[in-house]
Amino acid sequence: MFLKFILLSLGLMLPGMAAAAELNAANTAWVLTSTALVLFMTLPGLSLFYGGLVRSKNVLSVLMQCFAITCVVSLLWLAGVYSVIFADGGAWQPFLGGLSKVFLAGVDTASLTGDIPETVYFMFQMTFAIITPALIVGAFAERMKFSAMLWFSTLWLLIVYVPICHWIWGGGWLAQLGAMDFAGGIVIHVNAGVAALVSALVLGNRKGFPNTAMPPHNMTMVVTGAGMLWVGWYGFNAGSALTADGKAGMTMLVTHIGAASGALTWMFIEWQRFGKPSVLGIVTGMVAGLGTITPASGFVGPLGGLVIGVVAGVVCFYATQYVKRSLKIDDSLDVFPVHGIGGITGSLLTGVFAASQLGGMGLKEGVSILDQVGVQALAVVVTIVWSALFSYLILKGLDGWMGLRVSPDEEVQGLDQVLHEETGYLDL
């Protein structure tokens, strides 16, 4: 009896040891909420944001693509994508995970990842996998066949997203080198941004670009979608802490500061250059700020969030102008200059502002700012090369097999009618 009392007392004095393998209800509730927020980013956030940016004859095609990608990725995630990213890969662990959790084999309601149910972790990570190929839709909007889009999204997830995600988040070789990507600056934004640029180059410009004006058809829809993205991004970044604590709180704070400073920076640059601030400019700057703060969000403090947001507004604004006006590349909805360039910038700055002397959470012992920036640069370069190479090969293979683009006449008519026999508005 006395021994039992001693053991119980030790358990009460050492709660971390006693509860190491127990479910944490607060963390579980927060990650459940975050999962819903991240899915909310794609459906309806990104769908409305992209849908409003295209011309009215193509609005349904964009909504359909985001919806279909959500369904396809969800089933692929269950069938084995989750397993080959996050299950133990044994000898192959530096490069790829294993097959032990195909169709969630062996996972039940009692299975935990850390101190949250594995089913919740499965769902949370699935929402990240959904939004990544959905981002690429913005690059080839208004001209890609629906069937080609489905095949591209499927193959891209399997060949491009899976290994990069495992290398950084699944315990792969880049994680072992110390690459820092808290919520997807490299895995999602650099990865999707580079694929978007390659897609725009392979498909070619839309008919009439750049001489014909192609303004957004519904700015109210754009701002509504942008607002949903901003709110949903709290789950994206702060949810990646997987805890309901001060770290999640700081992550949410710097995410918000990055969004606000990116939005205002873009707005003021545009105001100074063109004489008037635009609604499109301020919401695009917000998205740039969010994408750029994402890799750093769990590692930096408020100062880092502010500086990274301002830098995002400047760099992404001029990148957008350069890609569209100088290079004349028709990345329809500016995926590469906003998400790709933003992700690269934020990933490199993570190695700087994570340092404790700049208000960050601190680098690993013995690692200097220069060392960490070098690791960040390596991870960025590897992602760029892998994504660019295999995105190109997938697109060229599909083009030779089934063709990527609708015909010029079909493009003029609009994808809503041509591919879906529907219209977004009754008066069309």
Side-chain angles (χ1 to χ4, degrees), residues 1-14 18:
M1 188 69 178
F2 179 73
L3 179 60
K4 183 177 181 180
F5 174 77
I6 294 295
L7 291 174
L8 179 60
S9 299
L10 285 173
L12 291 173
M13 288 187 292
L14 301 171

Coordinates of all heavy atoms in Angstrom, one line a residue, residues 1-14 18:
M1 N 0.8 -1.2 0.0 CA 0.0 0.0 0.0 C 0.9 1.3 0.0 O 0.6 2.2 -0.7 CB -0.9 0.0 1.2 CG -1.9 1.1 1.2 SD -3.2 0.8 -0.1 CE -4.2 2.2 0.2
F2 N 1.9 1.2 0.8 CA 2.9 2.3 0.9 C 3.6 2.6 -0.4 O 3.7 3.7 -0.9 CB 3.9 2.1 2.0 CG 4.9 3.2 2.1 CD1 4.5 4.4 2.7 CD2 6.2 3.0 1.7 CE1 5.5 5.5 2.8 CE2 7.1 4.1 1.8 CZ 6.8 5.3 2.3
L3 N 4.0 1.5 -1.1 CA 4.6 1.6 -2.4 C 3.7 2.2 -3.4 O 4.1 3.0 -4.3 CB 5.1 0.2 -2.9 CG 5.8 0.1 -4.2 CD1 7.0 1.0 -4.2 CD2 6.1 -1.4 -4.6
K4 N 2.4 1.8 -3.4 CA 1.4 2.3 -4.3 C 1.3 3.8 -4.1 O 1.2 4.6 -5.1 CB 0.1 1.6 -4.1 CG -1.0 2.0 -5.1 CD -2.3 1.2 -4.9 CE -3.3 1.6 -5.9 NZ -4.6 0.9 -5.7
F5 N 1.3 4.3 -2.9 CA 1.2 5.7 -2.5 C 2.4 6.4 -3.1 O 2.2 7.5 -3.7 CB 1.1 5.9 -1.0 CG 1.1 7.3 -0.6 CD1 0.0 8.1 -0.7 CD2 2.3 7.9 -0.1 CE1 0.0 9.4 -0.4 CE2 2.3 9.2 0.3 CZ 1.2 10.0 0.1
I6 N 3.6 5.9 -3.0 CA 4.8 6.5 -3.5 C 4.7 6.7 -5.0 O 5.0 7.7 -5.5 CB 6.0 5.8 -3.1 CG1 6.2 5.8 -1.5 CG2 7.3 6.3 -3.8 CD1 6.5 7.2 -1.0
L7 N 4.3 5.6 -5.7 CA 4.2 5.7 -7.1 C 3.2 6.7 -7.6 O 3.4 7.4 -8.6 CB 3.9 4.3 -7.7 CG 5.0 3.2 -7.5 CD1 4.5 1.8 -8.0 CD2 6.3 3.6 -8.3
L8 N 2.1 6.7 -6.9 CA 1.0 7.7 -7.3 C 1.5 9.1 -7.1 O 1.3 10.0 -7.9 CB -0.2 7.4 -6.5 CG -1.4 8.4 -6.7 CD1 -1.9 8.3 -8.1 CD2 -2.6 8.1 -5.8
S9 N 2.2 9.3 -6.0 CA 2.8 10.7 -5.7 C 3.8 11.1 -6.7 O 3.8 12.3 -7.2 CB 3.4 10.7 -4.3 OG 2.5 10.4 -3.3
L10 N 4.6 10.2 -7.2 CA 5.6 10.5 -8.2 C 4.9 10.8 -9.5 O 5.3 11.7 -10.2 CB 6.5 9.3 -8.4 CG 7.6 9.1 -7.3 CD1 8.3 7.8 -7.6 CD2 8.6 10.3 -7.3
G11 N 3.8 10.1 -9.8 CA 3.0 10.4 -11.0 C 2.4 11.8 -11.0 O 2.4 12.5 -12.0
L12 N 2.0 12.2 -9.8 CA 1.4 13.6 -9.7 C 2.4 14.7 -9.8 O 2.2 15.7 -10.3 CB 0.6 13.7 -8.3 CG -0.6 12.9 -8.2 CD1 -1.2 12.9 -6.8 CD2 -1.7 13.3 -9.2
M13 N 3.6 14.4 -9.3 CA 4.7 15.4 -9.3 C 5.3 15.4 -10.7 O 5.9 16.4 -11.1 CB 5.8 15.0 -8.3 CG 5.4 15.2 -6.8 SD 6.7 15.0 -5.7 CE 7.0 13.2 -5.8
L14 N 5.2 14.4 -11.5 CA 5.8 14.4 -12.8 C 4.7 14.2 -13.9 O 4.6 13.1 -14.5 CB 6.8 13.3 -12.9 CG 8.0 13.3 -11.9 CD1 8.8 12.1 -12.0 CD2 8.9 14.6 -12.2
A18 N 3.9 11.1 -16.7 CA 2.7 10.3 -16.5 C 1.8 10.3 -17.6 O 1.1 9.3 -17.9 CB 2.0 10.7 -15.2

